[in-house]
mmCIF file of all heavy atoms in Angstrom:
data_model
loop_
_atom_site.group_PDB
_atom_site.id
_atom_site.type_symbol
_atom_site.label_atom_id
_atom_site.label_comp_id
_atom_site.label_asym_id
_atom_site.label_seq_id
_atom_site.Cartn_x
_atom_site.Cartn_y
_atom_site.Cartn_z
ATOM 1 N N GLU A 153 -23.039 -6.800 -11.359
ATOM 2 C CA GLU A 153 -22.991 -5.974 -12.661
ATOM 3 C C GLU A 153 -21.919 -4.876 -12.424
ATOM 4 O O GLU A 153 -21.091 -4.643 -13.334
ATOM 5 C CB GLU A 153 -24.325 -5.356 -12.714
ATOM 6 C CG GLU A 153 -24.507 -4.243 -13.848
ATOM 7 C CD GLU A 153 -24.919 -4.947 -15.165
ATOM 8 O OE1 GLU A 153 -25.463 -6.085 -15.099
ATOM 9 O OE2 GLU A 153 -24.564 -4.402 -16.150
ATOM 10 N N ASP A 225 -20.294 8.996 16.451
ATOM 11 C CA ASP A 225 -20.885 9.424 15.130
ATOM 12 C C ASP A 225 -20.662 8.240 14.133
ATOM 13 O O ASP A 225 -19.653 7.613 14.149
ATOM 14 C CB ASP A 225 -19.944 10.568 14.648
ATOM 15 C CG ASP A 225 -20.518 11.916 14.948
ATOM 16 O OD1 ASP A 225 -21.602 11.974 15.505
ATOM 17 O OD2 ASP A 225 -19.836 12.961 14.551
ATOM 18 N N TYR A 239 -11.588 15.264 1.283
ATOM 19 C CA TYR A 239 -10.357 14.575 1.604
ATOM 20 C C TYR A 239 -10.658 13.050 1.565
ATOM 21 O O TYR A 239 -11.715 12.542 1.937
ATOM 22 C CB TYR A 239 -9.852 14.862 2.978
ATOM 23 C CG TYR A 239 -9.368 16.367 3.093
ATOM 24 C CD1 TYR A 239 -9.971 17.080 4.099
ATOM 25 C CD2 TYR A 239 -8.458 16.810 2.242
ATOM 26 C CE1 TYR A 239 -9.515 18.454 4.288
ATOM 27 C CE2 TYR A 239 -7.996 18.140 2.415
ATOM 28 C CZ TYR A 239 -8.591 18.960 3.423
ATOM 29 O OH TYR A 239 -8.129 20.173 3.496
ATOM 30 N N ASN A 336 -1.649 -13.721 -23.516
ATOM 31 C CA ASN A 336 -0.697 -13.030 -22.659
ATOM 32 C C ASN A 336 -0.006 -13.977 -21.728
ATOM 33 O O ASN A 336 1.281 -13.856 -21.386
ATOM 34 C CB ASN A 336 -1.496 -11.927 -21.706
ATOM 35 C CG ASN A 336 -2.003 -10.764 -22.640
ATOM 36 O OD1 ASN A 336 -1.547 -10.580 -23.736
ATOM 37 N ND2 ASN A 336 -3.015 -10.088 -22.140
ATOM 38 N N SER A 396 15.853 -5.142 -5.680
ATOM 39 C CA SER A 396 17.275 -5.310 -6.003
ATOM 40 C C SER A 396 18.204 -5.614 -4.827
ATOM 41 O O SER A 396 19.285 -6.029 -4.917
ATOM 42 C CB SER A 396 17.836 -3.995 -6.721
ATOM 43 O OG SER A 396 17.484 -2.950 -5.888
ATOM 44 N N HIS A 487 3.091 14.719 12.190
ATOM 45 C CA HIS A 487 2.011 14.802 11.146
ATOM 46 C C HIS A 487 1.140 13.592 11.193
ATOM 47 O O HIS A 487 -0.133 13.670 10.954
ATOM 48 C CB HIS A 487 2.528 15.187 9.847
ATOM 49 C CG HIS A 487 2.675 16.601 9.674
ATOM 50 N ND1 HIS A 487 2.200 17.422 8.635
ATOM 51 C CD2 HIS A 487 3.222 17.478 10.448
ATOM 52 C CE1 HIS A 487 2.483 18.628 8.753
ATOM 53 N NE2 HIS A 487 3.189 18.699 9.912
ATOM 54 N N ARG A 490 -1.227 14.033 13.955
ATOM 55 C CA ARG A 490 -2.215 15.026 13.661
ATOM 56 C C ARG A 490 -3.419 14.357 12.931
ATOM 57 O O ARG A 490 -4.610 14.760 13.153
ATOM 58 C CB ARG A 490 -1.679 16.224 12.785
ATOM 59 C CG ARG A 490 -0.581 17.069 13.603
ATOM 60 C CD ARG A 490 -0.192 18.166 12.630
ATOM 61 N NE ARG A 490 1.064 18.777 13.098
ATOM 62 C CZ ARG A 490 1.488 19.973 12.955
ATOM 63 N NH1 ARG A 490 0.681 20.809 12.301
ATOM 64 N NH2 ARG A 490 2.532 20.402 13.401
ATOM 65 N N SER A 494 -7.207 13.982 14.542
ATOM 66 C CA SER A 494 -8.366 14.589 13.860
ATOM 67 C C SER A 494 -9.558 13.657 13.901
ATOM 68 O O SER A 494 -10.701 14.038 13.840
ATOM 69 C CB SER A 494 -7.966 14.818 12.414
ATOM 70 O OG SER A 494 -6.879 15.655 12.244
ATOM 71 N N TYR B 417 6.386 16.732 1.551
ATOM 72 C CA TYR B 417 5.713 17.995 1.439
ATOM 73 C C TYR B 417 6.199 19.046 2.441
ATOM 74 O O TYR B 417 6.798 18.588 3.463
ATOM 75 C CB TYR B 417 4.201 17.959 1.537
ATOM 76 C CG TYR B 417 3.636 17.390 2.890
ATOM 77 C CD1 TYR B 417 3.340 18.240 3.932
ATOM 78 C CD2 TYR B 417 3.460 15.953 2.963
ATOM 79 C CE1 TYR B 417 2.846 17.626 5.177
ATOM 80 C CE2 TYR B 417 2.909 15.515 4.225
ATOM 81 C CZ TYR B 417 2.678 16.307 5.268
ATOM 82 O OH TYR B 417 2.179 15.793 6.419
ATOM 83 N N THR B 450 -4.216 21.831 0.325
ATOM 84 C CA THR B 450 -4.618 22.514 1.472
ATOM 85 C C THR B 450 -4.118 21.954 2.751
ATOM 86 O O THR B 450 -4.369 22.422 3.827
ATOM 87 C CB THR B 450 -6.237 22.464 1.535
ATOM 88 O OG1 THR B 450 -6.651 21.103 1.613
ATOM 89 C CG2 THR B 450 -6.817 23.169 0.356
ATOM 90 N N SER B 505 -0.779 -8.403 -25.194
ATOM 91 C CA SER B 505 0.072 -8.939 -26.404
ATOM 92 C C SER B 505 -0.858 -8.873 -27.705
ATOM 93 O O SER B 505 -2.011 -8.763 -27.623
ATOM 94 C CB SER B 505 0.426 -10.467 -26.158
ATOM 95 O OG SER B 505 -0.721 -11.235 -26.178
ATOM 96 N N ARG B 544 -26.374 4.632 -16.626
ATOM 97 C CA ARG B 544 -27.600 4.129 -17.405
ATOM 98 C C ARG B 544 -28.679 5.223 -17.574
ATOM 99 O O ARG B 544 -29.545 5.045 -18.340
ATOM 100 C CB ARG B 544 -28.242 2.908 -16.634
ATOM 101 C CG ARG B 544 -27.255 1.762 -16.703
ATOM 102 C CD ARG B 544 -27.967 0.537 -15.923
ATOM 103 N NE ARG B 544 -27.052 -0.606 -16.009
ATOM 104 C CZ ARG B 544 -27.037 -1.562 -16.990
ATOM 105 N NH1 ARG B 544 -27.935 -1.387 -18.089
ATOM 106 N NH2 ARG B 544 -26.238 -2.538 -16.979
ATOM 107 N N ARG B 579 -16.874 17.274 9.910
ATOM 108 C CA ARG B 579 -16.177 17.576 11.187
ATOM 109 C C ARG B 579 -14.749 17.022 11.267
ATOM 110 O O ARG B 579 -13.852 17.663 11.678
ATOM 111 C CB ARG B 579 -17.023 16.985 12.380
ATOM 112 C CG ARG B 579 -18.164 17.806 12.803
ATOM 113 C CD ARG B 579 -18.726 17.456 14.172
ATOM 114 N NE ARG B 579 -19.547 16.278 14.134
ATOM 115 C CZ ARG B 579 -20.773 16.183 13.762
ATOM 116 N NH1 ARG B 579 -21.452 17.212 13.375
ATOM 117 N NH2 ARG B 579 -21.423 14.929 13.772
ATOM 118 N N ARG B 583 -11.300 19.330 11.299
ATOM 119 C CA ARG B 583 -10.240 19.134 12.327
ATOM 120 C C ARG B 583 -8.852 18.818 11.632
ATOM 121 O O ARG B 583 -7.868 19.390 12.043
ATOM 122 C CB ARG B 583 -10.678 17.970 13.214
ATOM 123 C CG ARG B 583 -11.635 18.356 14.356
ATOM 124 C CD ARG B 583 -11.579 17.373 15.462
ATOM 125 N NE ARG B 583 -11.987 16.019 15.146
ATOM 126 C CZ ARG B 583 -13.182 15.548 15.336
ATOM 127 N NH1 ARG B 583 -14.201 16.305 15.805
ATOM 128 N NH2 ARG B 583 -13.406 14.324 14.966
ATOM 129 N N ASN B 587 -5.526 21.019 12.060
ATOM 130 C CA ASN B 587 -4.401 20.360 12.586
ATOM 131 C C ASN B 587 -3.302 20.511 11.719
ATOM 132 O O ASN B 587 -2.058 20.508 12.132
ATOM 133 C CB ASN B 587 -4.627 18.884 13.008
ATOM 134 C CG ASN B 587 -5.467 18.762 14.239
ATOM 135 O OD1 ASN B 587 -5.519 19.640 15.020
ATOM 136 N ND2 ASN B 587 -6.204 17.654 14.288
#
Side-chain angles (χ1 to χ4, degrees):
Chain A
E153 176 89 25
D225 268 356
Y239 295 125
N336 290 341
S396 54
H487 273 233
R490 293 183 198 209
S494 301
Chain B
Y417 59 91
T450 58
S505 68
R544 292 178 178 274
R579 279 195 287 279
R583 280 200 296 263
N587 287 334

